Amino acid sequence: MNVDVFQTLADPTRRRIVEALKGGELAVSDLVARVDIQQSGVSRHLGILQEAGFVQVRPEGTKRLYSLRPEPFQELDAWVTGYRSLWEARLDRFGQALERRRKARTDAPKSEEEPP
C-alpha cells in the first residue's frame, strides 16, 4: 500500500470531490458547485487526485469531465481486508461478552424490593 493514497485522501476537500464523483462523471464547474470552493482550488485538487491515480479526465468539446478510477479504491479495499479479520475477531469477542452479561442479568434472581 502506497502511503500517498492515504495522504491524497487525508485532505477533506479531496474527499468531498471523491464523494461528488461517486455518482459519476462531472465537469469542473459541477464540482465547483458541489464542493463550494473556487474553480482554481477544485482544479488544483483534481490535479493531485489525477496524479495519485484516483481520477481520470475525458475531454468533451470545451469541457473536461472527471470520473473516478477503481484501482486505488481496490488497493484500499485489499489493504483494509487484511485487517478485517482482526476487527471481526475483536467484535465477536465483544458480542459474546455482551451476551454473557445480558444472560447473567436475565438469569439473576430479582430482589423483592426493586428501586423505583
Side-chain angles (χ1 to χ4, degrees):
M1 164 80 20
N2 188 343
V3 175
D4 290 345
V5 171
F6 293 108
Q7 290 173 340
T8 300
L9 293 178
D11 185 276
T13 301
R14 287 194 287 274
R15 286 195 309 271
R16 287 197 322 260
I17 290 171
V18 166
E19 286 295 315
L21 290 171
K22 267 181 26 180
E25 197 173 57
L26 290 172
V28 174
S29 58
D30 296 328
L31 287 166
V32 168
R34 291 185 186 206
V35 299
D36 197 31
I37 63 170
Q38 294 180 351
Q39 183 173 344
S40 61
V42 169
S43 294
R44 183 175 59 84
H45 287 294
L46 283 169
I48 293 167
L49 287 166
Q50 187 175 9
E51 185 177 318
F54 279 91
V55 299
Q56 59 193 8
V57 63
R58 181 177 67 84
E60 186 177 276
T62 60
K63 289 184 186 179
R64 298 181 67 73
L65 301 171
Y66 288 84
S67 61
L68 295 176
R69 297 183 68 232
E71 296 86 2
F73 297 100
Q74 292 165 343
E75 186 180 344
L76 280 168
D77 184 52
W79 186 83
V80 168
T81 298
Y83 292 91
R84 188 169 285 130
S85 63
L86 173 70
W87 298 330
E88 287 173 350
R90 288 180 180 175
L91 289 173
D92 287 345
R93 287 193 305 270
F94 180 63
Q96 291 165 357
L98 288 176
E99 183 59 28
R100 283 191 303 273
R101 186 176 220 179
R102 184 196 63 77
K103 188 169 175 79
R105 283 185 180 170
T106 58
D107 292 348
K110 294 190 177 184
S111 66
E112 303 247 346
E113 227 179 274
E114 290 188 17

